[in-house]
Amino acid sequence: QKEVEQNSGPLSVPEGAIASLNCTYSDRVSQSFFWYRQYSGKSPELIMSIYSNGDKEDGRFTAQLNKASQYVSLLIRDSQPSDSATYLCAVNMGAQKLVFGQGTRLTINP
Amino acid sequence: SAVISQKPSRDICQRGTSLTIQCQVDSQVTMMFWYRQQPGQSLTLIATANQGSEATYESGFVIDKFPISRPNLTFSTLTVSNMSPEDSSIYLCSLGGEYADTQYFGPGTRLTVL
């Protein structure tokens, strides 16, 4: 079983709609969770971190964490074509070791 | 936040040669890391670059293949030794942010081995 799993997509969402990206992880003791955005040919950019159960909102982005279910998600409201990218879920597995999921490729259609 | 630069940004190398990639940060940071991103794949941690001591390598990565230096708190190098086409990847350095486990990535080095 992979340590961090994401649906690789592609996920296609119309402009203005909500994009929902999901991630599950295997290590129950993980405490820190991150979402990175990676445009084609660019390096990953940190967009959200979440440490506690519940929701964390930052502008159009909301991260949701459920440690009991070992599940973390990212919602993007009012999706824009500039949101088209690969979104990487990362989990801290201890000792500052980040394990990344395969990434979900998101396309926002105008 | 700190500014991270990497050199070279890209390179095309011949099989059997070695390439050293530099990572420079504009402020002192405790934690620096090296990752590999193979074509179409996600990121895999190669090692943690420790200042003043040997790097800590992840399973599947060895010092002979990926020697790392960290002479001070603003600079690190990763060498890809005796390269083969399977080493064609993007190599990224990252550093710890305001929290110990938040990481920010440099622009990456795109390596092609022929």
Side-chain angles (χ1 to χ4, degrees), chain A residues 45-65:
Chain A
E45 172 192 11
L46 179 67
I47 55 172
M48 289 287 284
S49 60
I50 187 166
Y51 302 91
S52 304
N53 279 328
D55 295 359
K56 178 182 178 182
E57 187 175 316
D58 184 0
R60 295 187 296 111
F61 298 97
T62 298
Q64 299 175 317
L65 175 60

mmCIF file of all heavy atoms in Angstrom, chain A residues 45-65:
data_model
loop_
_atom_site.group_PDB
_atom_site.id
_atom_site.type_symbol
_atom_site.label_atom_id
_atom_site.label_comp_id
_atom_site.label_asym_id
_atom_site.label_seq_id
_atom_site.Cartn_x
_atom_site.Cartn_y
_atom_site.Cartn_z
ATOM 1 N N GLU A 45 4.935 24.527 -5.398
ATOM 2 C CA GLU A 45 4.701 25.733 -4.609
ATOM 3 C C GLU A 45 3.740 25.390 -3.477
ATOM 4 O O GLU A 45 2.648 24.863 -3.734
ATOM 5 C CB GLU A 45 4.102 26.811 -5.509
ATOM 6 C CG GLU A 45 3.628 28.063 -4.807
ATOM 7 C CD GLU A 45 2.794 28.934 -5.721
ATOM 8 O OE1 GLU A 45 2.414 28.479 -6.818
ATOM 9 O OE2 GLU A 45 2.481 30.063 -5.333
ATOM 10 N N LEU A 46 4.131 25.670 -2.253
ATOM 11 C CA LEU A 46 3.275 25.379 -1.105
ATOM 12 C C LEU A 46 2.062 26.306 -1.112
ATOM 13 O O LEU A 46 2.217 27.534 -1.173
ATOM 14 C CB LEU A 46 4.056 25.562 0.195
ATOM 15 C CG LEU A 46 3.290 25.326 1.487
ATOM 16 C CD1 LEU A 46 2.910 23.856 1.633
ATOM 17 C CD2 LEU A 46 4.121 25.771 2.685
ATOM 18 N N ILE A 47 0.863 25.732 -1.046
ATOM 19 C CA ILE A 47 -0.331 26.564 -1.008
ATOM 20 C C ILE A 47 -1.108 26.418 0.297
ATOM 21 O O ILE A 47 -1.805 27.343 0.703
ATOM 22 C CB ILE A 47 -1.259 26.305 -2.217
ATOM 23 C CG1 ILE A 47 -1.641 24.833 -2.352
ATOM 24 C CG2 ILE A 47 -0.617 26.803 -3.498
ATOM 25 C CD1 ILE A 47 -2.693 24.576 -3.410
ATOM 26 N N MET A 48 -1.014 25.260 0.948
ATOM 27 C CA MET A 48 -1.749 25.093 2.199
ATOM 28 C C MET A 48 -1.009 24.107 3.099
ATOM 29 O O MET A 48 -0.428 23.134 2.621
ATOM 30 C CB MET A 48 -3.159 24.537 1.955
ATOM 31 C CG MET A 48 -4.125 25.496 1.313
ATOM 32 S SD MET A 48 -4.672 26.788 2.424
ATOM 33 C CE MET A 48 -5.844 25.897 3.444
ATOM 34 N N SER A 49 -1.071 24.357 4.385
ATOM 35 C CA SER A 49 -0.640 23.383 5.383
ATOM 36 C C SER A 49 -1.769 23.242 6.397
ATOM 37 O O SER A 49 -2.518 24.195 6.641
ATOM 38 C CB SER A 49 0.636 23.841 6.075
ATOM 39 O OG SER A 49 0.428 25.099 6.733
ATOM 40 N N ILE A 50 -1.903 22.061 6.959
ATOM 41 C CA ILE A 50 -2.948 21.836 7.954
ATOM 42 C C ILE A 50 -2.448 20.841 8.969
ATOM 43 O O ILE A 50 -1.786 19.852 8.614
ATOM 44 C CB ILE A 50 -4.278 21.392 7.289
ATOM 45 C CG1 ILE A 50 -5.411 21.321 8.318
ATOM 46 C CG2 ILE A 50 -4.125 20.089 6.524
ATOM 47 C CD1 ILE A 50 -6.802 21.235 7.698
ATOM 48 N N TYR A 51 -2.739 21.107 10.243
ATOM 49 C CA TYR A 51 -2.185 20.296 11.317
ATOM 50 C C TYR A 51 -3.282 19.719 12.232
ATOM 51 O O TYR A 51 -3.037 18.752 12.942
ATOM 52 C CB TYR A 51 -1.231 21.132 12.171
ATOM 53 C CG TYR A 51 -0.101 21.741 11.387
ATOM 54 C CD1 TYR A 51 -0.221 23.003 10.829
ATOM 55 C CD2 TYR A 51 1.087 21.045 11.181
ATOM 56 C CE1 TYR A 51 0.817 23.567 10.097
ATOM 57 C CE2 TYR A 51 2.127 21.601 10.453
ATOM 58 C CZ TYR A 51 1.975 22.869 9.918
ATOM 59 O OH TYR A 51 3.001 23.424 9.186
ATOM 60 N N SER A 52 -4.475 20.345 12.231
ATOM 61 C CA SER A 52 -5.544 19.930 13.138
ATOM 62 C C SER A 52 -6.754 19.456 12.346
ATOM 63 O O SER A 52 -6.991 19.916 11.225
ATOM 64 C CB SER A 52 -5.960 21.107 14.025
ATOM 65 O OG SER A 52 -4.860 21.620 14.735
ATOM 66 N N ASN A 53 -7.520 18.584 12.954
ATOM 67 C CA ASN A 53 -8.764 18.137 12.336
ATOM 68 C C ASN A 53 -9.678 19.318 12.041
ATOM 69 O O ASN A 53 -9.728 20.277 12.809
ATOM 70 C CB ASN A 53 -9.495 17.158 13.259
ATOM 71 C CG ASN A 53 -8.955 15.755 13.174
ATOM 72 O OD1 ASN A 53 -8.484 15.319 12.122
ATOM 73 N ND2 ASN A 53 -8.994 15.048 14.284
ATOM 74 N N GLY A 54 -10.387 19.224 10.920
ATOM 75 C CA GLY A 54 -11.327 20.272 10.571
ATOM 76 C C GLY A 54 -10.925 20.968 9.292
ATOM 77 O O GLY A 54 -10.212 20.410 8.470
ATOM 78 N N ASP A 55 -11.425 22.182 9.142
ATOM 79 C CA ASP A 55 -11.189 22.965 7.939
ATOM 80 C C ASP A 55 -10.229 24.108 8.208
ATOM 81 O O ASP A 55 -10.235 24.701 9.289
ATOM 82 C CB ASP A 55 -12.504 23.550 7.427
ATOM 83 C CG ASP A 55 -13.475 22.486 6.969
ATOM 84 O OD1 ASP A 55 -13.126 21.282 7.038
ATOM 85 O OD2 ASP A 55 -14.586 22.830 6.557
ATOM 86 N N LYS A 56 -9.449 24.430 7.184
ATOM 87 C CA LYS A 56 -8.599 25.620 7.230
ATOM 88 C C LYS A 56 -8.767 26.348 5.907
ATOM 89 O O LYS A 56 -8.553 25.756 4.851
ATOM 90 C CB LYS A 56 -7.132 25.241 7.437
ATOM 91 C CG LYS A 56 -6.183 26.441 7.450
ATOM 92 C CD LYS A 56 -4.740 25.987 7.608
ATOM 93 C CE LYS A 56 -3.789 27.172 7.566
ATOM 94 N NZ LYS A 56 -2.377 26.739 7.668
ATOM 95 N N GLU A 57 -9.153 27.611 5.988
ATOM 96 C CA GLU A 57 -9.462 28.374 4.784
ATOM 97 C C GLU A 57 -8.398 29.432 4.529
ATOM 98 O O GLU A 57 -7.906 30.083 5.455
ATOM 99 C CB GLU A 57 -10.839 29.031 4.935
ATOM 100 C CG GLU A 57 -11.353 29.705 3.690
ATOM 101 C CD GLU A 57 -12.773 30.222 3.860
ATOM 102 O OE1 GLU A 57 -13.610 29.486 4.417
ATOM 103 O OE2 GLU A 57 -13.029 31.369 3.459
ATOM 104 N N ASP A 58 -8.050 29.612 3.254
ATOM 105 C CA ASP A 58 -7.120 30.666 2.851
ATOM 106 C C ASP A 58 -7.556 31.145 1.473
ATOM 107 O O ASP A 58 -7.263 30.496 0.463
ATOM 108 C CB ASP A 58 -5.687 30.152 2.831
ATOM 109 C CG ASP A 58 -4.679 31.251 2.504
ATOM 110 O OD1 ASP A 58 -5.092 32.413 2.293
ATOM 111 O OD2 ASP A 58 -3.470 30.954 2.449
ATOM 112 N N GLY A 59 -8.296 32.248 1.452
ATOM 113 C CA GLY A 59 -8.801 32.752 0.183
ATOM 114 C C GLY A 59 -9.762 31.767 -0.449
ATOM 115 O O GLY A 59 -10.713 31.313 0.185
ATOM 116 N N ARG A 60 -9.494 31.383 -1.686
ATOM 117 C CA ARG A 60 -10.384 30.436 -2.376
ATOM 118 C C ARG A 60 -10.076 28.985 -2.029
ATOM 119 O O ARG A 60 -10.775 28.081 -2.488
ATOM 120 C CB ARG A 60 -10.250 30.633 -3.888
ATOM 121 C CG ARG A 60 -10.727 31.985 -4.383
ATOM 122 C CD ARG A 60 -10.720 32.066 -5.911
ATOM 123 N NE ARG A 60 -9.385 31.955 -6.475
ATOM 124 C CZ ARG A 60 -8.955 30.920 -7.191
ATOM 125 N NH1 ARG A 60 -9.755 29.888 -7.429
ATOM 126 N NH2 ARG A 60 -7.726 30.911 -7.692
ATOM 127 N N PHE A 61 -9.042 28.750 -1.243
ATOM 128 C CA PHE A 61 -8.623 27.399 -0.896
ATOM 129 C C PHE A 61 -9.106 27.014 0.505
ATOM 130 O O PHE A 61 -9.024 27.814 1.438
ATOM 131 C CB PHE A 61 -7.093 27.275 -0.947
ATOM 132 C CG PHE A 61 -6.504 27.532 -2.301
ATOM 133 C CD1 PHE A 61 -5.985 28.773 -2.621
ATOM 134 C CD2 PHE A 61 -6.478 26.540 -3.264
ATOM 135 C CE1 PHE A 61 -5.437 29.019 -3.872
ATOM 136 C CE2 PHE A 61 -5.936 26.765 -4.520
ATOM 137 C CZ PHE A 61 -5.414 28.011 -4.824
ATOM 138 N N THR A 62 -9.595 25.786 0.630
ATOM 139 C CA THR A 62 -9.932 25.218 1.930
ATOM 140 C C THR A 62 -9.318 23.833 2.025
ATOM 141 O O THR A 62 -9.568 22.986 1.161
ATOM 142 C CB THR A 62 -11.457 25.112 2.137
ATOM 143 O OG1 THR A 62 -12.029 26.418 2.092
ATOM 144 C CG2 THR A 62 -11.777 24.479 3.491
ATOM 145 N N ALA A 63 -8.514 23.609 3.058
ATOM 146 C CA ALA A 63 -7.990 22.277 3.334
ATOM 147 C C ALA A 63 -8.840 21.650 4.429
ATOM 148 O O ALA A 63 -9.265 22.327 5.365
ATOM 149 C CB ALA A 63 -6.534 22.343 3.766
ATOM 150 N N GLN A 64 -9.101 20.364 4.287
ATOM 151 C CA GLN A 64 -9.894 19.632 5.264
ATOM 152 C C GLN A 64 -9.098 18.424 5.720
ATOM 153 O O GLN A 64 -8.525 17.712 4.899
ATOM 154 C CB GLN A 64 -11.223 19.184 4.643
ATOM 155 C CG GLN A 64 -12.090 20.337 4.171
ATOM 156 C CD GLN A 64 -13.342 19.846 3.453
ATOM 157 O OE1 GLN A 64 -13.282 18.917 2.648
ATOM 158 N NE2 GLN A 64 -14.471 20.477 3.736
ATOM 159 N N LEU A 65 -9.067 18.193 7.023
ATOM 160 C CA LEU A 65 -8.305 17.076 7.580
ATOM 161 C C LEU A 65 -9.186 16.242 8.494
ATOM 162 O O LEU A 65 -9.896 16.781 9.350
ATOM 163 C CB LEU A 65 -7.097 17.597 8.372
ATOM 164 C CG LEU A 65 -6.262 16.570 9.121
ATOM 165 C CD1 LEU A 65 -5.661 15.535 8.153
ATOM 166 C CD2 LEU A 65 -5.161 17.257 9.916
#
